[in-house]
Amino acid sequence: AMGGDQTLEPGRQNPDTSRGWRVGSLFGIDIYLDTSLIIIFALVVYILGTSVFPDWHPDWEASTRWLVALAAGVSFFASLLAHELAHSLMSRRFGIEVRRITLFLFGGMAEMEDEPREPRAEFMVAIVGPATSLALGLLFSLIGTSMAGAGFAELLQEDRKAALAGLSPLATLLLWLGPVNTVLGIFNLVPGFPLDGGRVFRAFMWWLTGDLQRATRLASNAGRLFGWSLIILGVMQAVAGMLLQGLWLVLIGWFLSNAASASYRMLVVRDLLDGLSARDLMRSKFGSIPAQMRVEDFIENHLMQSPQLLWPVLEEDQLIGLVTLEEVRKVAPGDREVATVGQVMRSDLRALTMAPETDARRVIELLSTHALPLAVVERGRVLGLLSAADAAKWLVLHQR
């Protein structure tokens, strides 16, 4: 749906649960709701309950109006989930695992563990989402129209208010949900990355040129162009007096423009890191300290004299602990002359270490979730340190 399908790096096991609430799983895929979903859900229900349904059914009681509005909000996000499930199940058919779907402010995203490996797979995974939304739109509209009766279409043209007022609550829900799904499907077919239409466009350009990076750049540029077009249109609407609609378009346009740029940068980084490991990115010149060193000595002669943030504590060249500013600051100034580094060091080595053969893309993912550098360790020996700044420096020096 809106926002496209995010690709996670291979090996990710524990997605950041701070990005939403887990509400269950379908087909072995975890379903998460982003906190931003509350905003759009409340907005949809509020607009339906205070504007749309009162216009359609002025004789409805408030309880009926709000109950149908609430059902419409839930059904809308069920439709988004169906859209993302279609992407996910098609991805699995092409051997790409999807462990998580997140529904958020602008729609949803299926988090795939890898990119499609061929244009055909990219096309099929991308097109099935909008196709599902369009099919749902047609289905809901047909059922709603059937429930409304044989003369509904003619009456709608002759007397719109009378036609809508005669609808049952279920028919009302379906005849709102059908066009919404249709619009969702059409919108996602816009050829701007990372919308599904942008991925379809990228698949075509990939097939035409044989160059995934070039195809992604072209699709990303189309996505930025579409995003900026929405921003301009939104500003024009806001100036013309339609402030809420204008601001909404500006927000969507800004999101799409940034998402298009980020998607292209992510692919460039993936290409740069292909085949590399932590050993290739690490900094091999670093300081280490013995466990017997006094905390005061460490602070004065090491911590304050170097930009290094993570200090390996060694015993006969073997790593026994790690120490940072956080550990030594907890020691009272009067105790620093007595306390040793070994007494305050961190012993949870697994949380701050990695093997030298760790895939470089996995390294970037780990660094993005750690404020501190990580130690690269092989059989108890520290080979180097690696921070987000080190990785960024490497990427800047090797970008083409």
Side-chain angles (χ1 to χ4, degrees):
M2 240 175 108
D5 308 304
Q6 179 177 338
T7 304
L8 296 180
E9 305 305 342
R12 182 164 187 167
Q13 298 297 322
N14 297 306
D16 179 11
T17 54
S18 68
R19 283 163 44 204
W21 300 305
R22 184 180 182 277
V23 294
S25 65
L26 287 170
F27 306 103
I29 302 170
D30 289 334
I31 310 300
Y32 280 78
L33 302 183
D34 188 84
T35 50
S36 64
L37 195 68
I38 298 172
I39 300 172
I40 188 64
F41 179 81
L43 187 62
V44 167
V45 173
Y46 176 78
I47 291 175
L48 289 176
T50 60
S51 178
V52 177
F53 291 159
D55 177 55
W56 290 18
H57 297 282
D59 58 331
W60 270 7
E61 293 183 1
S63 58
T64 303
R65 186 169 68 244
W66 286 108
L67 188 61
V68 176
L70 188 63
V74 173
S75 300
F76 173 61
F77 287 108
S79 299
L80 290 179
L81 179 57
H83 180 115
E84 296 305 327
L85 276 173
H87 285 308
S88 303
L89 297 178
M90 184 62 73
S91 295
R92 284 184 170 179
R93 285 195 60 185
F94 286 96
I96 304 168
E97 189 58 43
V98 177
R99 299 187 185 276
R100 169 172 172 157
I101 289 173
T102 302
L103 299 181
F104 65 108
L105 178 63
F106 293 108
M109 62 184 176
E111 299 180 353
M112 301 184 295
E113 290 199 336
D114 205 353
E115 289 275 3
R117 296 175 179 84
E118 56 172 339
R120 177 174 172 269
E122 170 81 331
F123 173 81
M124 293 300 295
V125 170
I127 199 66
V128 72
T132 298
S133 293
L134 291 171
L136 287 175
L138 180 61
L139 178 65
F140 293 147
S141 297
L142 287 175
I143 296 175
T145 302
S146 175
M147 292 180 64
F152 174 73
E154 291 78 7
L155 182 59
L156 187 65
Q157 292 182 351
E158 296 172 4
D159 190 344
R160 177 181 174 276
K161 283 189 175 293
L164 294 174
L167 295 174
S168 68
L170 182 56
T172 297
L173 174 62
L174 292 173
L175 287 175
W176 176 82
L177 200 56
V180 164
N181 273 276
T182 302
V183 170
L184 178 66
I186 293 172
F187 183 83
N188 272 274
L189 286 174
V190 171
F193 201 74
L195 292 176
D196 298 327
R199 288 184 171 271
V200 170
F201 177 62
R202 183 174 76 158
F204 175 72
M205 297 308 298
W206 186 4
W207 172 77
L208 200 62
T209 65
D211 185 340
L212 176 59
Q213 189 171 129
R214 183 181 176 191
T216 304
R217 185 174 65 252
L218 292 170
S220 177
N221 288 338
R224 283 199 294 269
L225 178 63
F226 180 62
W228 278 102
S229 298
L230 288 182
I231 291 173
I232 293 170
L233 180 60
V235 170
M236 291 173 62
Q237 284 192 340
V239 171
M242 295 179 286
L243 185 61
L244 184 61
Q245 298 94 317
L247 290 177
W248 189 243
L249 282 180
V250 168
L251 187 60
I252 294 174
W254 175 84
F255 174 83
L256 288 178
S257 180
N258 281 276
S261 299
S263 298
Y264 178 65
R265 287 195 300 269
M266 185 172 68
L267 182 71
V268 171
V269 169
R270 285 171 61 85
D271 285 350
L272 283 173
L273 297 178
D274 191 35
L276 298 179
S277 66
R279 191 190 301 271
D280 300 303
L281 304 181
M282 71 182 186
R283 175 166 24 107
S284 57
K285 291 185 178 181
F286 59 93
S288 59
I289 53 176
Q292 298 78 21
M293 180 178 287
R294 303 296 177 186
V295 170
E296 184 69 23
D297 183 12
F298 168 62
I299 294 174
E300 294 297 327
N301 299 311
H302 296 80
L303 188 62
M304 297 301 295
Q305 303 300 322
S306 168
Q308 186 172 322
L309 300 176
L310 182 73
W311 291 80
V313 182
L314 306 183
E315 188 174 275
E316 296 182 355
D317 289 332
Q318 290 291 300
L319 180 68
I320 61 171
L322 296 162
V323 66
T324 70
L325 173 65
E326 184 65 23
E327 284 72 51
V328 298
R329 80 174 184 85
K330 294 177 181 177
V331 182
D335 297 333
R336 291 172 183 171
E337 286 284 2
V338 180
T340 65
V341 169
Q343 292 172 327
V344 302
M345 68 185 183
R346 298 177 62 159
S347 57
D348 54 336
L349 301 182
R350 177 175 290 186
L352 289 174
T353 61
M354 67 175 71
E357 64 271 11
T358 304
D359 183 83
R361 289 180 289 184
R362 172 65 174 159
V363 169
I364 298 297
E365 180 189 333
L366 287 171
L367 290 174
S368 70
T369 61
H370 285 78
L372 290 169
L374 300 175
V376 182
V377 181
E378 184 177 47
R379 292 191 295 274
R381 291 181 61 250
V382 182
L383 304 183
L385 300 181
L386 185 50
S387 68
D390 297 326
K393 188 188 302 180
W394 190 95
L395 288 170
V396 167
L397 290 171
H398 290 82
Q399 281 185 3
R400 295 184 293 274

